[in-house]
Amino acid sequence: MGKTKDDNDLLREGRLPTDPGAKTEAMASPDAAVRKATLRLVEETVDPAALPLPSDVHAEATILSSLLWAGTNAPTTLSASNVRDLLDRSDMFFSGAHREIYDAMTAVHIALQSTSVIAVHSELVRRHTERTAGGIEYLEQLVSAAAPMSEQALRLHASAVRDAWARRQIIRLAASVDGAARGGRAKSEAVIETAHTELISLSSDLVTSSSFVSFTQCAKDVVASATKGETIFKPTGLNALDEIMGGFFPDEVTILAARTSVGKSALATQFSFDSIEGRPNDAVLYVSLEMPARAFTGRIMAGRAGVNSKRNRRQTCTLEDLTKLEATAVKMAGTRVYFVDSQVQTIMSIDTTAKRIGVMLAREGARLVMIVIDHLGIVKASSRNIPREQQVAEV
C-alpha cells in the first residue's frame, strides 16, 4: 500500500493548494520559479528531521511576495503592520530564509515605513543575513510573482502560518513532556505542572491583539442587559459596601488588602457565604492556605448563630450556645461552599480543583460562581527562579 502524501509531499511537487482559506477568494501565489527557490531555501535552512512538522511554506512566500510587491509598487495598500498582530515573531515562519526576510521587513517598516525590495535587501546586508535569505535574486523573484492582494486575503494566509506554528509548538511540547516522563529525573507532579504552564503560555500567545469590539456593539449589549433586568452581581452581604462597589461581578478580580490581623480572612469568609445566600445553585470555592477549613466553618457558624467565637474554638460553649449552633447547622445545610485547605497550593492545583468542582456541579445543575484565595502571596508560582514580583504577577 502506497504512503499517503501529506502537505510537505504536495509542496515538493508544486501541487499544494494556493488558497489556505479554501473557497474564500482568489489569492496571489508565487510562480513555479519562486516555488523552486522556496523549496531550495527550505531544504538549506530547515533541519530535514523537522520537515514532517506542520508548515505552510507556500503561504509564507505568498505573504512576503505580496508585502514586497506592495512596498515597491503601492506602499499605501499593504504593509507589515497589516499582519503584525498575527505574526508578531519571525520564528512563526517555518523557513529560515523567510524568517530572515520577515525580520528585516518589519525592521525597515518600523524605521522607514517601507517594505520595498531595496530597503529590505539593504537591511539584510546590514544584518549579514543576505545569503541565508536567498539574496536579491530571491527577493526579486518574490516580487515578480506577486499580484495585488486584499488585506483580508493576506490575513488568511497569516492565520494559516500562525496555526502551523502553533501546531509545531504543541508537538514540541508533547515531545518534551514525553522525554521528561520517560527520563524519570523529575517527579510526575513537576512534569505535569511544567506542561500545564507551557500550555497556558502558548494559549496566551495565540490570543492576538486583533480582537476588538466597537463601542456601538457594547452599547447594544448594555441596553439589552438593562432591558432584561437580570441581576449578574453577587452581593457582599454588606449593604453599605454594595452601594460603594456594586458587589462582585463575573470575570472580575477583587483584591482585599489590609495590614495583618485585622480580619481579612474573616471578612472574605463572610463574603463567600453571603454571595450565594438564597441561591441554591451557586457555589464558591474557598482556597485557604493559612487556616483549616474546619476553623473557618466554626467562625462563620458562630457569627451566624450569635455565639462567642472564642468559646466555640475553646469548646467551652454553653447549652444555649450549642442549641444555636445546631440550629444554624440545619439552616446552612446544603450551602455550596467548598474548601481547599492544603497548606501547599500551586496555580495548577487550584485550577484543577476548580475544574473538578465545576464538572461535579454541572451534573447537579449548579455552577461555580466565585473563587476566593486566601491568600495570593503564598500561592506557589510555576518557577522560583524568577523575581518575586513576577511570581506574584503570574499568580
Side-chain angles (χ1 to χ4, degrees):
M1 184 178 293
K3 178 183 177 182
T4 303
K5 294 182 179 181
D6 60 13
D7 283 356
N8 291 308
D9 296 321
L10 296 176
L11 180 59
R12 295 189 187 94
E13 297 173 5
R15 297 193 295 115
L16 191 69
T18 60
D19 184 1
K23 298 182 180 180
T24 52
E25 65 176 282
M27 299 183 184
S29 61
D31 61 11
V34 176
R35 277 179 201 262
K36 292 179 180 179
T38 298
L39 291 174
R40 173 177 56 79
L41 286 168
V42 169
E43 292 172 356
E44 293 175 354
T45 60
V46 176
D47 181 0
L51 285 176
L53 290 173
S55 63
D56 197 335
V57 183
H58 181 215
E60 295 175 9
T62 301
I63 293 168
L64 297 178
S65 70
S66 298
L67 292 177
L68 286 168
W69 183 92
T72 303
N73 300 289
T76 60
T77 56
L78 292 176
S79 69
S81 61
N82 293 113
V83 293
R84 186 62 177 167
D85 59 321
L86 293 171
L87 304 175
D88 55 351
R89 43 201 290 182
S90 62
D91 66 357
M92 290 182 171
F93 286 81
F94 187 68
S95 164
H98 292 166
R99 287 195 293 269
E100 298 292 356
I101 295 172
Y102 187 71
D103 256 342
M105 183 180 291
T106 52
V108 296
H109 175 69
I110 292 172
L112 307 174
Q113 294 298 301
S114 172
T115 54
S116 67
V117 169
I118 295 176
V120 173
H121 180 254
S122 297
E123 180 65 16
L124 289 169
V125 172
R126 189 188 70 79
R127 293 169 175 242
H128 305 290
T129 56
E130 179 195 13
R131 294 188 63 182
T132 56
I136 188 66
E137 295 83 4
Y138 185 53
L139 295 179
E140 290 176 344
Q141 286 176 345
L142 286 171
V143 173
S144 64
M149 179 183 288
S150 69
E151 179 182 356
Q152 179 183 9
L154 184 70
R155 290 181 64 82
L156 279 174
H157 279 89
S159 295
V161 172
R162 186 182 180 89
D163 181 70
W165 166 80
R167 294 174 184 273
R168 294 196 298 273
Q169 299 305 110
I170 294 171
I171 291 171
R172 286 167 180 154
L173 173 59
S176 174
V177 172
D178 179 75
R182 292 177 185 274
R185 294 182 179 180
K187 291 185 177 181
S188 58
E189 293 85 353
V191 174
I192 294 172
E193 181 135 3
T194 299
H196 184 264
T197 301
E198 292 188 16
L199 275 175
I200 290 176
S201 177
L202 176 59
S203 178
S204 299
D205 287 342
L206 289 176
V207 178
T208 70
S209 58
S210 60
S211 299
F212 61 89
V213 62
S214 69
F215 172 82
T216 302
Q217 183 58 51
C218 289
K220 290 179 180 178
D221 293 341
V222 169
V223 172
S225 179
T227 302
K228 292 179 181 178
E230 297 176 342
T231 302
I232 61 172
F233 77 94
K234 301 299 176 186
T236 64
L238 301 174
N239 293 335
L241 187 58
D242 285 338
E243 287 295 323
I244 296 173
M245 61 179 288
F248 299 116
F249 289 84
D251 302 322
E252 289 186 357
V253 176
T254 302
I255 297 179
L256 176 61
R259 63 182 178 83
T260 58
S261 302
V262 296
K264 296 188 297 298
S265 295
L267 185 58
T269 308
Q270 193 73 33
F271 287 159
S272 301
F273 283 87
D274 287 344
S275 66
I276 60 173
E277 187 172 9
R279 296 174 173 82
N281 291 327
D282 288 354
V284 172
L285 172 62
Y286 197 105
V287 183
S288 170
L289 301 179
E290 290 190 314
M291 185 179 293
R294 185 173 177 178
F296 273 118
T297 303
R299 176 182 289 181
I300 196 71
M301 287 182 63
R304 295 294 177 92
V307 173
N308 186 290
S309 60
K310 289 183 179 180
R311 290 204 303 268
N312 186 36
R313 289 196 65 184
R314 294 173 181 174
Q315 297 185 358
T316 57
C317 292
T318 65
L319 183 59
E320 182 182 359
D321 291 338
L322 292 175
T323 301
K324 291 180 178 179
L325 286 173
E326 289 175 355
T328 301
V330 172
K331 183 179 180 180
M332 298 181 68
T335 300
R336 297 181 186 270
V337 175
Y338 301 90
F339 291 98
V340 176
D341 59 356
S342 170
Q343 297 303 302
V344 178
Q345 286 293 331
T346 64
I347 299 171
M348 180 184 148
S349 66
I350 294 172
D351 178 67
T352 301
T353 301
K355 288 178 178 175
R356 286 177 57 195
I357 292 176
V359 171
M360 177 192 72
L361 291 170
R363 297 192 189 117
E364 303 172 6
R367 59 176 183 159
L368 186 63
V369 299
M370 182 186 293
I371 299 175
V372 180
I373 299 177
D374 185 15
H375 60 85
L376 286 177
I378 52 180
V379 177
K380 289 176 60 180
S382 60
S383 173
R384 294 293 184 180
N385 297 322
I386 58 177
R388 180 57 183 161
E389 63 272 14
Q390 291 184 25
Q391 293 181 28
V392 174
E394 180 184 334
V395 174

